[in-house]
Amino acid sequence: MANNDTAVDTRSPVLSWIALGVVYLVWGSTYLAIRVGVGHLPPLLFAGTRYVIAGALLYPIALRATANSRGPAQDAAKPGARAWFAGAVIGILLLFAGNGGVTIGETTLPSGFAAVLVATVPLWMIIFAWPVRHQRVTFRSALALAVGLGGVIILVGGGTASAHISGVIIVLGAAAAWGFGSVLSHRLAVPSHAMLAAAIEMLAGGEMPEAEMLSPENADALSRR
């Protein structure tokens, strides 16, 4: 038993570092992929398509995984109207406003510059946690907020002269939307199964730009390009 505990304790830090490395590579590379993608497709159509496809593929898998889970009976049932509404709200904030805003911003900003601006998400979460979850900002949180903002200003300051200020504002607004959605998700009845919640959010958040970009007016504009 002791040997098994030791093995688990040894593997956990290694797996944690591997997981962190995967997040750095996969998550970080999306900003470069977005910068390339917006050169060929309208930004919202590009952002919406990727999430609709991902959500459609993930949703049946998530339903099966939820049905086979050992959690409460209500978690194994198909999501109802409340779950879809909550998932839609979070999906619109995180994916439509958040990722969609970053995609629009990267039409004028370099991918690395946009990634630095998105790094303000934790700072926005601290700000929104007070009115949404009634969590007071402690001295340590305020200090972290100040240091984080200072770091972003230092990293971004040199590039604001060459960057389009409208793109900076859009990406910062997108980061704020992502932070607000992340905090609000704890107050809404989103599915407790993370995979199912993610699928609903991707379908709802991805449909918003799809519906907008594929409207008759935009369809005519796209056909003339």
Side-chain angles (χ1 to χ4, degrees):
M1 187 68 180
N3 290 337
N4 290 339
D5 291 341
T6 303
V8 171
D9 292 339
T10 303
R11 285 197 303 268
S12 295
V14 175
L15 292 175
S16 298
W17 281 107
I18 292 174
L20 183 61
V22 171
V23 170
Y24 271 119
L25 291 174
V26 176
W27 189 284
S29 64
T30 59
Y31 297 99
L32 178 58
I34 289 171
R35 189 69 179 92
V36 174
V38 295
H40 303 278
L41 289 172
L44 289 181
L45 180 62
F46 173 66
T49 299
R50 57 187 285 228
Y51 282 118
V52 168
I53 293 174
L57 293 174
L58 182 61
Y59 186 72
I61 299 173
L63 278 180
R64 184 170 182 177
T66 304
N68 295 333
S69 65
R70 298 180 180 179
Q74 63 269 22
D75 292 344
K78 289 186 177 181
R82 288 186 63 195
W84 273 99
F85 174 77
V89 171
I90 302 304
I92 290 171
L93 285 171
L94 267 61
L95 306 181
F96 174 58
N99 188 265
V102 172
T103 306
I104 293 174
E106 285 202 38
T107 59
T108 58
L109 300 178
S111 59
F113 191 86
V116 172
L117 294 175
V118 175
T120 60
V121 167
L123 309 180
W124 291 111
M125 292 178 67
I126 293 175
I127 293 173
F128 289 123
W130 176 57
V132 175
R133 303 186 66 186
H134 307 292
Q135 292 182 353
R136 292 186 177 182
V137 180
T138 64
F139 174 77
R140 293 180 62 183
S141 297
L143 181 61
L145 184 64
V147 172
L149 284 174
V152 171
I153 291 171
I154 292 173
L155 292 172
V156 172
T160 51
S162 59
H164 293 270
I165 189 64
S166 60
V168 173
I169 294 173
I170 290 172
V171 175
L172 284 176
W178 192 285
F180 179 61
S182 299
V183 174
L184 187 63
S185 64
H186 296 280
R187 304 281 295 180
L188 298 179
V190 296
S192 59
H193 197 284
M195 190 183 298
L196 182 59
I200 293 175
E201 290 165 13
M202 285 192 287
L203 286 172
E207 282 292 342
M208 287 291 292
E210 289 286 314
E212 173 66 21
M213 291 304 301
L214 296 181
S215 62
E217 295 81 3
N218 286 327
D220 291 340
L222 288 173
S223 63
R224 292 194 297 267
R225 292 186 61 176

